[in-house]
Every structure is written in C-alpha cells, then in structure tokens.
Amino acid sequence: MNRTVLITGAGSGFGREIALRLAARQWAVIAGVQIPSQIFALHADAERRGVRLQVEKLDVTNAADRDRFSEVDVDVLLNNAGIGEGGSMVDIPEAALRRQFEVNVTGPVMLTQAIARRMVARRAGKIVFMSSCAGLTSDPFTGAYSASKHAIEAIAEALGKELQEFSVAVATINPGPFLTGFNDRIFDSWKNWPTEREDTLFDYERIAYPYKQFDIEPVVETTVGVIEGTIDSYRNVEPKQNAAMQRQQMDAAWTRKSSENLGRRFAMVQTAYDMQPATPADE
C-alpha cells in the first residue's frame, strides 16, 4: 500500500515542491492549501509533471477545515503552513502579532492533536514540523516570526518526548535563507499595517531581508529524506553549512553583555538597509 502524507501549506514554496516530489515517489499525498484558488493551480502543476495529488482546502486557522481531517489516517504529517509578519517589535501591530501565532503555532498544534491521537492508536507515525533557523536564533525585524518558530521548537521537543512511548516520531526541518519569496514577503508585511501609522522607528520602505538566499533544492531533498526515513536526524538545518553559524549565535547569548555597543546601529540592521530584495546567494 502507498504511504500517505498530509502536507499543510502545499499551495506554494517548500510545501508545493515537496508535495509534487513525494507524489512522484509513489506517496499518496494529501496537499492542504489555504485558499480554493490554489487547488486548481496545484492540480495543473501535478498534471504537467505527470503525478497525482489529492488537493484539499485546509486553512489551519479554520476549525471546520481541521475537523475534516480529524478522522484521516496518515503515515506522516508535515506541518508546513506558515506566514511571516515582519517589523520591529516596537512597531508591529497587535493584530499582526496575534495572526503570526494563530497561523504558525495555534492552528498547527490543533491539527496535530487530532492526527497524533490516530497515530498513537496505531502505534506508528511521524510528525514533521517545518520550523526555521529563525526558531534557533532571532534577527532584527523578524522577532514575531522568530518567536513563533521558537514556540514550534519547544512544541516539537515536548511532543517528541511525549509520543516516544507510542512509537510516533517527531522531527524538525530548519531552513535558513531560501528563495521562495517568503522571506521577502516578511519584509513587505508592513504594507498591511494601518495607514495612519506614522510613528514607526524604522523606514520599512528602505529595508529588505538581510541575507543572500539559496535555491530551495536542499530543503526539498532533506524534507523528503526525513519523511521517508532515510534521514533520521531530529533537527535538520539547511543549508548545512549554516549549522555552525547557528550554534555560534546561540552560544553567544551566554556571554553577550546587555550594555555592549549601545548607541550604535546593530550590523544586521544596517545590512537590511543595504540589501536588495531577493538577492541570490551566488552574487
């Protein structure tokens, strides 16, 4: 029998390509998309690539959508759906902050609860969270997004320990800067803020995502490997060469002084002003 995977956020980015790739590898793929218009587009992509998918509307913040999958047995759940709300923690509106956590944390956890119970009953299954390098460290203007991914890291860590005795595995994927358009949209999210805001600390029209970005293939390959079990690592950072930098940044918090460099602009803030959107890593 074909193995079954449920992928949320399959309408674009990593989720879309992972869904198509797994379908080509004979998985029974249930591809959840946020809005109905994405259903036709993903079916069209699948037809062009000669694969078959079951595409369903699945907005993780919608209880009715989640409930439709509460009785579905899947071998693997890939919690991939997510958004990024950018902006300084001093500037970001309350509504944007709440939406960040509803989409990235609360919705996925509620969906996971129902799926996990069925896996526990079968004593088999795997739950994979599309986390982020931002779940391990935090940069200027992505504090809200990073906070949501730090929450996912904590949830995945706890869940893995809780489900171990029931033979249900948990893993995370931790992408860094990849060219899906997602990172650049984070830095455009201020355009949805109330138009009367004139007291922001930063000029968001002039700043961009402060990293050069890579092609998505390493994330797709690693995620497929984690889902299929050929990669057994709990945490999976991509690109792999960034893992050492992540560890250094995490360790630096133990020795950094709260008073150091006060009165000077943080280097990454300046990089955000200097960087052009969607700058590829090979430039």
Side-chain angles (χ1 to χ4, degrees):
M1 293 180 62
N2 285 353
R3 297 162 293 179
T4 301
V5 58
L6 171 60
I7 302 174
T8 66
S12 62
F14 298 135
R16 188 187 196 97
E17 182 58 31
I18 292 164
L20 293 166
R21 196 75 57 92
L22 287 171
R25 297 171 70 88
Q26 304 308 307
W27 279 77
V29 177
I30 306 172
V33 299
Q34 181 190 10
I35 54 179
S37 62
Q38 293 175 316
I39 295 175
F40 175 81
L42 186 49
H43 273 308
D45 270 1
E47 185 175 350
R48 280 192 292 270
R49 294 187 37 179
V51 300
R52 298 184 64 180
L53 299 169
Q54 177 184 342
V55 187
E56 302 281 353
K57 180 183 178 296
L58 174 51
D59 178 347
V60 295
T61 67
N62 185 307
D65 281 4
R66 295 194 306 264
D67 287 347
R68 289 191 295 109
F69 293 88
S70 62
E71 300 299 321
V72 175
D73 283 320
V74 299
D75 297 289
V76 181
L77 167 63
L78 173 58
N79 280 307
N80 172 74
I83 61 168
E85 296 284 352
S88 164
M89 294 310 301
V90 175
D91 292 332
I92 191 167
E94 178 181 352
L97 184 61
R98 289 185 181 278
R99 177 162 171 74
Q100 180 69 88
F101 278 82
E102 284 295 320
V103 177
N104 285 20
V105 182
T106 307
V109 170
M110 294 300 100
L111 176 66
T112 297
Q113 286 183 347
I115 300 295
R117 287 183 183 277
R118 298 187 69 81
M119 290 179 174
V120 165
R122 300 196 320 273
R123 294 299 196 270
K126 181 178 290 184
I127 298 167
V128 182
F129 290 90
M130 187 63 75
S131 181
S132 173
C133 285
L136 309 176
T137 57
S138 190
D139 289 321
F141 311 122
T142 58
Y145 174 72
S146 294
S148 72
K149 291 301 185 179
H150 275 69
I152 287 297
E153 289 291 321
I155 289 161
E157 184 81 9
L159 188 66
K161 294 169 181 175
E162 292 159 359
L163 297 186
Q164 175 181 305
E165 65 184 278
F166 303 105
S167 298
V168 177
V170 175
T172 69
I173 313 295
N174 297 77
F178 286 91
L179 270 172
T180 64
F182 181 86
N183 297 314
D184 298 295
R185 287 194 296 274
I186 290 177
F187 278 72
D188 277 343
S189 61
W190 62 272
K191 295 177 181 178
N192 296 318
W193 293 359
T195 55
E196 65 270 16
R197 288 293 299 273
E198 297 179 353
D199 60 344
T200 57
L201 291 184
F202 297 93
D203 183 355
Y204 294 106
E205 291 187 358
R206 295 180 51 213
I207 64 176
Y209 182 68
Y211 290 97
K212 294 183 177 182
Q213 302 178 62
F214 297 87
D215 180 79
I216 71 169
E217 185 61 24
V219 177
V220 175
E221 288 184 353
T222 293
T223 306
V224 168
V226 170
I227 288 172
E228 293 191 329
T230 58
I231 297 174
D232 196 33
S233 306
Y234 166 73
R235 175 174 288 159
N236 298 272
V237 171
E238 288 292 349
K240 291 180 174 63
Q241 63 265 32
N242 278 22
M245 180 183 72
Q246 292 295 129
R247 289 172 182 263
Q248 290 172 2
Q249 290 182 16
M250 295 167 73
D251 289 343
W254 291 94
T255 57
R256 187 173 66 241
K257 305 299 183 185
S258 62
S259 60
E260 68 185 42
N261 295 319
L262 290 180
R264 298 180 181 178
R265 174 172 281 177
F266 187 70
M268 190 63 71
V269 172
Q270 186 59 51
T271 302
Y273 276 101
D274 295 338
M275 188 72 72
Q276 293 298 311
T279 300
D282 56 3
E283 286 191 2

